Amino acid sequence: MPEQRADQRLFFTELLGLKVFDLKGRTLGVVKDAAIVPLLDPVRVDRYLIGSGAAWLTVRHDQVRSISLEGIHLRDEILTPYHSDEYMLRVVRDLLDQQIIDAQGRKVVRVTDVTFEVHQEDGGEVLWVLDVDIGLRAIFRRLVQGLLPASWIRRLQVGIPPHSIRWEFCNILEPDPQRRLRLNISNRLLEDMHPADLADIVEDLTPEHREAIFENIDSEVAADALSEVDPDIQASILESLETEKAAEIVEEMAPDEAADVLAELEQETSDEILEEMEHEPKQEVRELLEFEEDSAGGMMNTEYVALQETATVEDAIQALKSNEELMETLNTLFLVDSGERLTGVVPLARLFLHDGATPLRSLAVETLIDAPVTEHRDRITELFDKYNLLALPVVDEERKLSGVITADDIISVLREK
Amino acid sequence: MWKRFRYHIAIFFAVIGPGFITAMVDNDAGGILTYSQAGARWGYLPLWTLLPITVLLIVTQEMSSRMGAVTGKGLSDLIREEFGLRITFITMAVLVLANLTNMIADFSGIAGSLEIFGIPRWVSVPIGAAVVWLLVVKGTYASVEKIFLFACVVYVAYIVSAILVKPDWKQAAIYSVKPVLMLQGAYLYMLIGMVGTSIAPWMQFYLQAAVVEKGVTAKEYKESRIEVIVGCIAMSVIAFFIIVACAGTIYAVAPRDLQVPADAAAGLRPFGSYAYLLFAAGLFNASLFAACILPLSTAYSVCEGLGFESGVNRRFREAPIFYWLFTLLIVVGGAVVMFPKFPLVKMILFSQVLNGVLLPFVLIFMILLINKQKLLHEWTNSRFYNFVAWASVALMIGLTMALVALSIQDMMRT
């Protein structure tokens, strides 16, 4: 079906209160609200709700012959009474003056007005949602609507800079899971965001909305975002989630981050979540929880690659291939003896310059710097600064390698001061 | 058992702040001067208002913190979401106006108190304004908060002074419970001012936002309720002693209106010749404290309600309206006070009366919101609360209309 694109715009403030005319040109009522049915079409306005008195009538999008500032002309007059519908996203009730997430600008905003595009479709005209408007221009329109003629408003508003967000980047906030399904609210936009940006957004939301987001997004994304969120809010989020979901998320987190988060919770809640976790992550986190928060043990993470001191460059490459998920943050390899005791540190970059048969021992750093699990946080920061380290291996009393502290951990510590 | 007790105490101290601070800020320049004036002009008569005012204060503050804890949203957010943009805009405009007069009052307090030390206005006000602006922008407010709170200990001077005056405690006690209503313009003016200074509209916005910011949830709410009540009672106790002290010193000698802030210092005379210094220090501290909280709170409320970027951690370019708003409040507040013959006391009293006039409207919003089940779930108001709240709204509007009617009558006669 060929659709001619009209470049006409209509604002919701103009749509509201627009007269609706029947085939003979008599006024049936005025527009009280407009609704989108996301499951049918995410952009097109599906229904117009018109009223003249207490009862409202529904006008379907295909019953409209033309829409303009002058009014809405219908092409057939079979109108049904309005009944509240869980599948409808109504502009006045659900969108206007509510908070939504701007996935492109990565912040939480409040809807002041909506801009539509008028399209020709099947011999009639339909409205497609184009933008959500926030900012001064929209505020001006809202304040003045009904007080001045629409054409004046259009002219006067030109002086004020606009501020809009494209509809496809808008994420509706809805805590009720059933309604989320009915409104076809997807988390894709949120899941595509950088976890740190998602964390920022989450911090600006109410507890109810935070819970809704974490209950529904992918656990891996949730884990990444959660580790970036402010500690107080982390605790509040985990406490509000179902234990199973909380455990799923904590499992996906790096053990040291998981330990930090669980340490913030009430003992009871923390234990419940640990119980629900799978065995391996549970063990790792439990071990880390044993350490004091501001000691090396409390700061380190257990994701590192260690090889026997007799290994070669080739062995190292093989080891890295099987630990691909660590590659993003890895910059050092560790060498251990048969008793798992730390004997050397090899910067990853050195592997590039030597062939496969080179023994790793010859590539090790000349002076081995390490720290005991009990070392205090401040001393560790000093070590990083003094020796210009990127990673610091942590050893137990028997000099066995227990974990590694990386530079990004130190940055968080320094910022806290 | 002990662990649960420790948990509750820990929450209490973590949560202490919003309710307590709000109560202390109550006794700012507007507060001190309104109570002093009440005692100086009317003696023990106004004491009866303290009991109903305290009850209303507790009810209002409790509603604010309850709404904040349960909904997780600030008051202007809620007004926007439930009543729409136009109403929010009008409310914000009125709030800014009222807060501007309050800012003028606070700068009057700063100017008046430093004048007692012999520092002229044109020195104290610009420096004061600059200090407030820097404190707010550099975000060191949080640490300064503790110093201010500590300095509020000066209010104890009023308690000591009141005792030293050897007032007629029997009279004071009688008047504490005997309601006196006179249809005199000046008396009504004082009544509305007393309510307005104890329960300022801007404080409801501030308190709810502070509770949300602190992250108090519905579960922890019970502890914050206690803190709110303690704060309110503390405020009333101090108000009581200020009135008694001024009644005993100024009214007992010759009842009159206060003309300059130094007149109120006379209320501390029995405490010794250091009375002036203590008064000046207390007034200065209270005014500066309020002058820091008020513009920031106003800017946050307005930006929240209208959807503008806000936050002192943002650069000016990112949040222009936020920065302009609080800067304007500080600058205009200070500038007005610098006019040479500016009637400091009259202005301070007027700003509190304005608060009292606007209070019922903010209360109406709060009552409507707090009774919505979809917002507050099982935490909506009890019937007693609703009764107290609506009765107060009716009373305040009634008082205001009576005052207006009397004023018009006066004007027509002359």
Side-chain angles (χ1 to χ4, degrees):
Chain A
M1 230 80 57
E3 284 164 26
Q4 255 176 296
R5 287 188 156 243
D7 207 16
Q8 267 183 292
R9 303 277 171 92
L10 192 71
F11 301 118
F12 185 73
T13 40
E14 294 169 335
L15 180 63
L16 205 57
L18 214 54
K19 289 209 180 101
V20 180
F21 303 108
D22 67 4
L23 294 170
K24 294 220 171 62
R26 291 172 304 204
T27 313
L28 287 176
V30 294
V31 176
K32 294 285 187 189
D33 203 349
I36 306 166
V37 180
L39 280 174
L40 291 180
D41 188 312
V43 219
R44 183 187 59 200
V45 171
D46 202 79
R47 310 279 154 135
Y48 302 92
L49 305 180
I50 67 174
S52 56
W56 286 11
L57 298 170
T58 319
V59 172
R60 283 195 332 269
H61 66 277
D62 51 353
Q63 291 176 306
V64 171
R65 183 161 50 86
S66 74
I67 309 177
S68 68
L69 281 180
E70 179 247 336
I72 295 183
H73 289 270
L74 299 180
R75 56 181 184 179
D76 86 55
E77 298 170 340
I78 310 169
L79 305 179
T80 49
Y82 168 68
H83 297 290
S84 183
D85 189 331
E86 287 290 296
Y87 292 85
M88 280 193 205
L89 182 70
R90 277 176 49 185
V91 180
V92 171
R93 185 189 63 185
D94 305 321
L95 210 50
L96 225 53
D97 294 324
Q98 305 300 323
Q99 278 187 316
I100 59 169
I101 297 181
D102 169 7
Q104 192 186 42
R106 288 158 285 154
K107 45 173 106 109
V108 179
V109 296
R110 207 173 273 285
V111 179
T112 303
D113 198 357
V114 181
T115 306
F116 302 102
E117 260 184 338
V118 183
H119 285 244
Q120 318 288 350
E121 198 176 288
D122 293 334
E125 287 187 341
V126 289
L127 292 180
W128 285 14
V129 181
L130 187 64
D131 295 321
V132 152
D133 303 313
I134 65 184
L136 281 171
R137 199 187 259 198
I139 291 182
F140 171 70
R141 288 201 300 265
R142 280 286 293 283
L143 286 177
V144 175
Q145 129 200 26
L147 300 176
L148 292 178
S151 45
W152 284 32
I153 302 180
R154 284 227 177 182
R155 252 176 280 143
L156 285 172
Q157 70 162 6
V158 172
I160 314 173
H163 192 4
S164 308
I165 303 165
R166 298 206 73 95
W167 182 235
E168 59 252 27
F169 294 120
C170 294
N171 192 296
I172 315 280
L173 289 167
E174 174 56 65
D176 185 333
Q178 249 196 350
R179 186 110 157 96
R180 290 181 67 90
L181 278 173
R182 298 204 167 126
L183 290 181
N184 204 24
I185 297 179
S186 94
N187 298 307
R188 200 184 45 82
L189 286 171
L190 298 180
E191 287 169 1
D192 287 342
M193 261 192 239
H194 192 285
D197 290 327
L198 184 55
D200 269 346
I201 287 180
V202 158
E203 280 169 5
D204 278 340
L205 295 175
T206 64
E208 213 183 17
H209 288 144
R210 269 186 231 142
E211 190 194 320
I213 290 186
F214 277 90
E215 275 286 348
N216 290 296
I217 56 175
D218 176 68
S219 294
E220 243 186 86
V221 174
D224 286 336
L226 193 63
S227 38
E228 303 291 338
V229 167
D230 202 55
D232 296 324
I233 304 185
Q234 270 176 351
S236 139
I237 294 175
L238 279 184
E239 273 163 15
S240 68
L241 292 174
E242 294 273 325
T243 320
E244 276 166 39
K245 183 69 181 178
E248 253 180 65
I249 296 179
V250 174
E251 269 166 24
E252 295 288 339
M253 293 171 85
D256 61 322
E257 282 165 356
D260 285 340
V261 168
L262 288 178
E264 296 283 332
L265 300 174
E266 261 183 70
Q267 191 63 40
E268 225 180 278
T269 324
S270 166
D271 287 337
E272 272 172 29
I273 297 181
L274 274 171
E275 270 311 301
E276 278 293 320
M277 284 168 67
E278 279 175 25
H279 182 72
E280 206 188 298
K282 174 160 50 178
Q283 275 306 100
E284 286 182 28
V285 173
R286 274 233 165 94
E287 274 172 30
L288 288 177
L289 276 173
E290 296 283 310
F291 297 112
E292 285 285 320
E293 223 182 296
D294 51 357
S295 68
M299 290 169 68
M300 71 186 186
N301 75 65
T302 45
E303 290 173 346
Y304 54 83
V305 176
L307 292 138
Q308 286 295 311
E309 52 184 355
T310 47
T312 61
V313 168
E314 185 56 47
D315 298 326
I317 296 182
Q318 287 307 317
L320 290 173
K321 280 190 184 158
S322 54
N323 278 303
E324 239 180 273
E325 9 25 290
L326 294 179
M327 279 311 283
E328 229 178 78
T329 45
L330 207 61
N331 49 48
T332 326
L333 290 177
F334 300 108
L335 299 178
V336 292
D337 64 14
S338 47
E340 302 225 341
R341 289 182 288 266
L342 180 68
T343 54
V345 167
V346 178
L348 214 54
R350 290 190 182 180
L351 291 181
F352 282 113
L353 304 174
H354 296 85
D355 63 8
T358 322
L360 289 175
R361 211 183 346 212
S362 63
L363 302 177
V365 165
E366 296 72 34
T367 343
L368 178 60
I369 316 280
D370 57 47
V373 274
T374 47
E375 188 68 88
H376 190 267
R377 190 206 306 230
D378 292 335
R379 174 81 184 119
I380 298 192
T381 322
E382 265 178 55
L383 286 174
F384 263 85
D385 194 15
K386 179 173 173 189
Y387 295 104
N388 301 319
L389 300 173
L390 288 174
L392 177 68
V394 180
V395 294
D396 64 11
E397 320 81 56
E398 297 165 20
R399 286 200 58 79
K400 285 202 209 156
L401 184 58
S402 301
V404 58
I405 300 177
T406 48
D408 61 295
D409 294 324
I410 296 297
I411 293 180
S412 304
V413 167
L414 290 174
R415 284 202 67 207
E416 259 173 61
K417 297 191 182 199
Chain B
M1 195 28 212
W2 171 241
K3 196 161 175 205
R4 277 217 74 73
F5 183 68
R6 257 194 11 225
Y7 175 65
H8 281 295
I9 296 280
I11 301 276
F12 183 80
F13 278 110
V15 140
I16 206 169
F20 204 71
I21 294 180
T22 318
M24 287 299 113
V25 175
D26 251 335
N27 291 326
D28 65 351
I32 296 182
L33 246 31
T34 305
Y35 302 136
S36 302
Q37 160 74 358
R41 169 76 188 272
W42 306 93
Y44 299 115
L45 224 53
L47 285 176
W48 68 270
T49 59
L50 285 183
L51 202 52
I53 286 180
T54 311
V55 170
L56 181 58
L57 181 62
I58 292 180
V59 163
T60 321
Q61 305 279 59
E62 198 274 334
M63 291 203 312
S64 286
S65 39
R66 187 170 9 127
M67 266 203 285
V70 175
T71 64
K73 299 181 187 167
L75 188 55
S76 31
D77 271 333
L78 286 175
I79 294 181
R80 174 78 189 264
E81 281 175 13
E82 300 299 318
F83 300 119
L85 181 75
R86 244 185 221 159
I87 293 195
T88 310
F89 186 81
I90 296 175
T91 311
M92 293 296 114
V94 166
L95 187 70
V96 169
L97 195 63
N99 290 356
L100 188 58
T101 58
N102 274 271
M103 273 306 276
I104 296 177
D106 288 322
F107 272 110
S108 304
I110 293 178
S113 60
L114 290 183
E115 256 166 22
I116 292 182
F117 286 112
I119 303 179
R121 269 181 225 191
W122 54 269
V123 172
S124 59
V125 172
I127 298 183
V131 167
V132 167
W133 197 88
L134 282 171
L135 273 176
V136 161
V137 165
K138 293 300 173 193
T140 47
Y141 168 69
S143 50
V144 182
E145 191 185 271
K146 306 249 183 308
I147 307 179
F148 279 146
L149 276 178
F150 199 67
C152 284
V153 123
V154 163
Y155 292 142
V156 170
Y158 270 111
I159 301 184
V160 178
S161 171
I163 298 175
L164 286 177
V165 161
K166 294 206 209 316
D168 188 344
W169 289 112
K170 187 158 152 224
Q171 278 273 310
I174 296 177
Y175 277 113
S176 297
V177 291
K178 177 174 151 189
V180 176
L181 193 61
M182 298 189 282
L183 276 178
Q184 267 189 315
Y187 189 69
L188 290 180
Y189 195 76
M190 185 234 8
L191 279 186
I192 300 178
M194 295 258 309
V195 177
T197 196
S198 317
I199 316 174
W202 72 265
M203 271 165 26
Q204 308 320 314
F205 287 90
Y206 169 76
L207 179 56
Q208 192 162 335
V211 166
V212 167
E213 170 108 15
K214 255 209 141 87
V216 177
T217 60
K219 256 187 293 166
E220 297 153 354
Y221 167 65
K222 291 216 175 56
E223 279 79 19
S224 81
R225 205 188 244 168
I226 299 179
E227 183 228 358
V228 163
I229 296 180
V230 165
C232 296
I233 297 184
M235 183 231 93
S236 291
V237 164
I238 297 174
F240 176 84
F241 283 109
I242 293 180
I243 297 179
V244 167
C246 286
T249 53
I250 304 176
Y251 182 79
V253 173
R256 60 189 177 88
D257 288 322
L258 300 178
Q259 300 299 333
V260 287
D263 285 349
L268 286 181
R269 207 183 303 127
F271 197 53
S273 50
Y274 289 112
Y276 281 121
L277 297 176
L278 260 171
F279 175 79
L283 184 59
F284 175 72
N285 174 66
S287 306
L288 196 60
F289 195 10
C292 290
I293 299 188
L294 192 48
L296 202 54
S297 162
T298 314
Y300 271 122
S301 303
V302 172
C303 290
E304 215 180 73
L306 298 180
F308 300 125
E309 281 296 330
S310 61
V312 281
N313 52 335
R314 300 238 195 275
R315 308 190 63 86
F316 177 78
R317 237 177 319 123
E318 293 170 359
I321 297 186
F322 176 74
Y323 274 89
W324 270 120
L325 198 48
F326 79 69
T327 305
L328 217 66
L329 281 171
I330 295 176
V331 166
V332 175
V336 170
V337 167
M338 294 229 281
F339 280 99
K341 292 280 198 310
F342 192 77
L344 293 181
V345 174
K346 269 213 176 75
M347 184 69 230
I348 296 179
L349 295 177
F350 173 70
S351 69
Q352 303 309 300
V353 170
L354 192 57
N355 281 346
V357 168
L358 296 172
L359 179 65
F361 300 105
V362 173
L363 262 183
I364 292 178
F365 282 136
M366 285 174 64
I367 302 175
L368 289 176
L369 286 170
I370 208 162
N371 280 305
K372 285 195 182 214
Q373 249 216 328
K374 68 162 176 151
L375 290 178
L376 274 284
H377 314 298
E378 70 263 27
W379 296 79
T380 54
N381 264 1
S382 66
R383 288 174 63 172
F384 170 70
Y385 256 69
N386 276 335
F387 173 70
V388 171
W390 281 120
S392 318
V393 168
L395 193 63
M396 288 307 291
I397 297 186
L399 281 178
T400 309
M401 294 208 296
L403 178 63
V404 170
L406 281 176
S407 309
I408 296 182
Q409 210 179 47
D410 272 338
M411 277 198 289
M412 300 227 287
R413 227 183 285 147
T414 48

